[in-house]
Amino acid sequence: MGRTLMLGVWLLVLFPVALSERCHPDDKKALLQLKKELKNPYILASWNPNEDCCEWYCVKCDEKTNRIYVLDISSSVPETNLSGQIPPSVGDLPYLEYLTFHKLPHLVGPIQPTIAKLTKLKSIFITYTGISGPVPHFLAQLKNLELIKLSFNSLSGTIPGSLYQLPNLTSLQLDRNHLTGPIPGSLGSFKKPGPDLILSHNNLSGPIPASLGKLDPERIDLSRNKLEGDASILFGSNKRTQILDLSRNMLEFDFSPLKFPSKSLIWLDLNHNNIYGTIPVALTKVENLQHFNVSYNHRLTGKIPQAGQLQRFDKYSYFHTKLCGSPLPPCNNNH
C-alpha cells in the first residue's frame, strides 16, 4: 500500500498538467487537426499537445463544461503566416458559441460548410480576410446566431433570403464585399425590431423592399450601393433609429414630409442621391443629431430651417443642392 501511495505522489509531481487537464480530448484533437490544416502558423504556437488546451492562446473553455466555446484567431500583424482555407475541423467543436477569424488576409476560399454543424454558435465574425464565394445559406440553420459579421472580405453573389429565419439575430453585417442583386424582401420578416442591417460598400441594386419598413433596428447602413427608388419607409417619428446612412445610391423620394425619432437619431446621411423637396421642419426637433449630410441632391430646394441642430453643420453638408439660408448664403426672393 505504501509503495502504491508513493507512486501516486510521484505521478502527481512528474505529470501535474496531464492529471489535472480540463480540456476535453475530442476538443484537443479537433484543435490540433485545425492547426495542422493551417500548416502550423506561428499564431498557434502555444497549441502544444502536451499541455492543457484550455490554456492555449485563441481559445476559451467553459468553466462548467470544460468544452471549447470560443475560437478567436485574430492577428494584429498583417504579415501573419497563417494561410489557406478555413479548416473543415472547425466543425468538430460542437460546443463552440463564438467563432472569429480576423485580420488574416491570406485566409482564402469559401466559408467552410462544416460550420453548419455548430448548432450552439451565437457569433460568426469573419473580417478583413481573403475569403470569397457566397454568403452561405446554411447560416439560416444556426438558430442561436445573434451576430453575423462578414465585413471586409471578397464575398460575392446575393444575400440569402433565408436569413430572416434566425430568431435571435441582432446584427447582420455584410459590408465591404462584392455582393450583388437586390436586398431580399424576406428580410422584412425578421421578428421585430429586427437586426441592425449593415450592407454598405457592395454592388446591391434595385429598390429597398417596402417590407423593411416593418422593422425597427437601431442602425441601418445601405450606403455605397446602387439602390434605387423610395426609401421613405425607413423613416418615422416612432422608430428607435440611431444611425441611418443611405448615401451614394440612386434613391429618389420626397424628403419634405418625413418624420424622425427626436430622441434617438444621431446620424443621418443621404448625400449623393436624387432626393427632392425641402428640408423637413421635423428635423429641428431631433435633439442629438451629430452628423447630417444631404449634399449632392440637386433637387433639394428651399430655405434650411433655422432651428434645432441644422446650423451646427457646415456648408459641405448642404453642398450642391438648391438650398439656401445659414450655413449657406441667404435666400433671395425666388425662394
Side-chain angles (χ1 to χ4, degrees):
M1 179 68 72
R3 296 182 64 182
T4 303
L5 181 61
M6 285 301 296
L7 178 60
V9 171
W10 276 108
L11 286 173
L12 285 171
V13 172
L14 294 173
F15 306 105
V17 175
L19 293 176
S20 63
E21 183 165 339
R22 293 171 51 207
C23 180
H24 193 283
D26 290 346
D27 289 350
K28 175 177 272 192
K29 180 180 177 182
L31 290 172
L32 290 173
Q33 179 62 27
L34 185 146
K35 179 182 179 182
K36 180 180 178 182
E37 290 168 355
L38 288 174
K39 303 170 187 174
N40 301 309
Y42 177 75
I43 196 172
L44 303 182
S46 69
W47 291 19
N48 185 332
N50 297 320
E51 296 180 5
D52 185 351
C53 75
C54 289
E55 305 300 324
W56 291 354
Y57 183 60
C58 299
V59 299
K60 289 183 181 179
C61 285
D62 183 87
E63 292 294 331
K64 294 181 179 179
T65 66
N66 291 332
R67 301 302 298 263
I68 297 291
Y69 78 103
V70 175
L71 175 62
D72 182 348
I73 302 179
S74 301
S75 175
S76 58
V77 181
E79 294 78 18
T80 179
N81 67 333
L82 189 151
S83 63
Q85 299 193 18
I86 297 174
S89 53
V90 73
D92 296 326
L93 296 166
Y95 286 77
L96 204 63
E97 297 181 19
Y98 302 94
L99 174 63
T100 296
F101 294 101
H102 176 60
K103 286 194 175 180
L104 303 169
H106 304 299
L107 188 69
V108 296
I111 295 176
Q112 179 54 241
T114 60
I115 289 173
K117 296 160 57 179
L118 303 176
T119 57
K120 296 183 183 295
L121 204 62
K122 294 180 180 179
S123 168
I124 180 168
F125 191 111
I126 303 176
T127 54
Y128 291 92
T129 76
I131 65 165
S132 58
V135 177
H137 288 268
F138 68 70
L139 292 178
Q141 302 171 26
L142 303 176
K143 301 303 183 184
N144 289 307
L145 275 176
E146 299 172 3
L147 169 66
I148 297 175
K149 184 174 177 64
L150 305 176
S151 309
F152 291 88
N153 298 300
S154 296
L155 297 171
S156 59
T158 58
I159 298 172
S162 56
L163 294 179
Y164 81 93
Q165 298 172 15
L166 295 170
N168 301 308
L169 197 67
T170 60
S171 188
L172 176 61
Q173 303 183 35
L174 305 176
D175 51 303
R176 296 180 186 267
N177 282 287
H178 308 300
L179 301 177
T180 55
I183 297 173
S186 60
L187 296 191
S189 298
F190 274 112
K191 181 180 177 182
K192 198 172 181 179
D196 290 348
L197 293 175
I198 315 300
L199 309 177
S200 66
H201 293 77
N202 280 292
N203 292 301
L204 301 173
S205 58
I208 295 174
S211 60
L212 294 192
K214 302 174 186 177
L215 303 181
D216 191 17
E218 293 182 346
R219 185 179 176 193
I220 298 177
D221 187 350
L222 309 178
S223 63
R224 292 180 183 265
N225 281 289
K226 299 176 181 177
L227 300 170
E228 304 172 347
D230 189 2
S232 60
I233 43 91
L234 300 179
F235 296 81
S237 58
N238 295 322
K239 289 184 176 288
R240 58 180 195 144
T241 313
Q242 294 181 8
I243 296 175
L244 180 57
D245 193 339
L246 306 175
S247 60
R248 294 183 181 269
N249 280 288
M250 297 180 284
L251 298 168
E252 185 173 1
F253 58 94
D254 187 356
F255 197 35
S256 313
L258 300 186
K259 305 297 182 183
F260 311 88
S262 60
K263 301 292 185 182
S264 62
L265 189 65
I266 58 174
W267 184 292
L268 179 60
D269 200 330
L270 305 171
N271 77 78
H272 285 81
N273 279 289
N274 197 22
I275 297 165
Y276 56 91
T278 59
I279 301 291
V281 174
L283 264 176
T284 65
K285 307 298 183 183
V286 177
E287 298 176 3
N288 299 303
L289 196 61
Q290 298 172 20
H291 176 90
F292 177 67
N293 194 335
V294 291
S295 63
Y296 290 88
N297 284 283
H298 301 281
R299 297 166 66 194
L300 276 178
T301 60
K303 185 177 181 180
I304 299 169
Q306 303 295 295
Q309 304 292 317
L310 295 180
Q311 276 64 58
R312 69 177 293 184
F313 308 107
D314 62 27
K315 64 180 182 181
Y316 297 105
S317 293
Y318 303 95
F319 212 46
H320 286 278
T321 65
K322 293 183 173 66
L323 296 166
C324 60
S326 177
L328 297 178
C331 301
N332 58 34
N333 294 332
N334 294 326
H335 289 92

